[in-house]
Amino acid sequence: MKKHLLFLGAPGAGKGTQAELLSKASSYLHLSTGELLRKEIAMNTVLGREVKDIINRGELVNDELVLQIVRQNLDKDNKGWILDGYPRNLSQVNSLNEVLIEINQPLEVVFYLDIPEKVLIKRLLSRGRKDDTEDTIKKRVEIYKKTTEPLIQYFKDLSLLEYINADRDLKTISSDIKQKMA
Ligand code: ADP
């Protein structure tokens, strides 16, 4: 069973939902940079205040800062982990590679949750998170296409990519993922 996983996909593709389900079923650590950043904002920490406006504009938080969060949270007990929302650009891929070499826990599989753009915009608008306004969504999708989407090819070339049709019901998707983890 693979235990070092990454979820890739557009905002609204369902990465967080699937990662959470899988984490509960497997006891792997669910590491969502978006979730961790939102916690910092909710707790009104120095970091939270620094990232609040950036996130609400739909832009990416600076690489160094996100890397710090990932480093602090990556489990070193080797129980397994699920990365969700990180890495989002090639520079973050390189930093992640360094960290994974340091902790000697190489990435084993990348699940690419694929979904038509129309469906994801509808999902995001109905979710109603603070950064789910129409303008912010547009910005996030635009950044996703430009900076995150190229990672699909990158992981494909490393033979790490597993394609998941994310335009199906939750249970069908999660059993598909579980099957591909074996
Ligand atoms: P979604 O997948 O719907 O975009 P996330 O919860 O993953 O939502 O992220 C919300 C926001 O947090 C992003 O729009 C971005 O501002 C910030 N963020 C999350 N992860 C990263 C990252 N790896 N690098 C930079 N910014 C990030």
Side-chain angles (χ1 to χ4, degrees):
M1 184 79 98
K2 297 189 169 90
K3 50 182 195 176
H4 300 137
L5 330 172
L6 194 161
F7 279 30
L8 194 64
K15 303 182 295 289
T17 307
Q18 289 300 331
E20 190 60 34
L21 282 172
L22 190 57
S23 153
K24 286 207 173 109
S26 63
S27 83
Y28 293 176
L29 172 84
H30 175 199
L31 206 168
S32 159
T33 44
E35 202 54 53
L36 291 166
L37 290 167
R38 279 189 291 280
K39 269 192 196 146
E40 299 282 340
I41 295 174
M43 294 188 301
N44 197 23
T45 61
V46 174
L47 181 84
R49 287 197 292 273
E50 200 179 323
V51 301
K52 191 176 174 186
D53 291 342
I54 302 171
I55 289 186
N56 288 338
R57 281 199 303 270
E59 290 166 11
L60 292 189
V61 170
N62 120 8
D63 291 344
E64 272 308 311
L65 210 152
V66 182
L67 177 61
Q68 206 180 306
I69 290 184
V70 172
R71 256 188 206 287
Q72 276 165 9
N73 286 277
L74 256 193
D75 191 10
K76 302 206 169 98
D77 294 328
N78 216 15
K79 194 169 55 178
W81 40 254
I82 308 163
L83 286 176
D84 159 21
Y86 185 90
R88 264 173 145 94
N89 59 35
L90 274 172
S91 144
Q92 293 183 1
V93 167
N94 292 330
S95 306
L96 175 65
N97 282 340
E98 283 173 28
V99 175
L100 297 185
I101 288 169
E102 273 170 35
I103 64 175
N104 198 22
Q105 295 180 14
L107 185 60
E108 290 165 286
V109 62
V110 176
F111 293 112
Y112 166 50
L113 272 58
D114 188 29
I115 190 157
E117 193 171 326
K118 262 197 196 147
V119 179
L120 65 90
I121 290 174
K122 221 165 138 190
R123 278 193 193 175
L124 290 170
L125 282 173
S126 66
R127 191 169 65 178
R129 215 168 65 193
K130 188 112 199 287
D131 60 340
D132 284 340
T133 64
E134 218 160 332
D135 281 351
T136 305
I137 290 170
K138 227 192 244 165
K139 184 83 194 166
R140 274 157 54 208
V141 171
E142 184 190 311
I143 295 178
Y144 168 77
K145 282 189 181 160
K146 205 162 121 199
T147 72
T148 312
E149 216 164 51
L151 306 190
I152 298 168
Q153 188 60 43
Y154 172 90
F155 289 119
K156 200 172 176 188
D157 291 344
L158 292 173
S159 303
L160 286 173
L161 201 79
E162 285 286 357
Y163 171 91
I164 306 286
N165 173 1
D167 192 12
R168 297 179 293 174
D169 66 276
L170 290 184
K171 279 193 181 149
T172 311
I173 299 170
S174 72
S175 63
D176 190 8
I177 291 172
K178 276 186 193 145
Q179 218 166 41
K180 288 173 172 149
M181 268 170 72

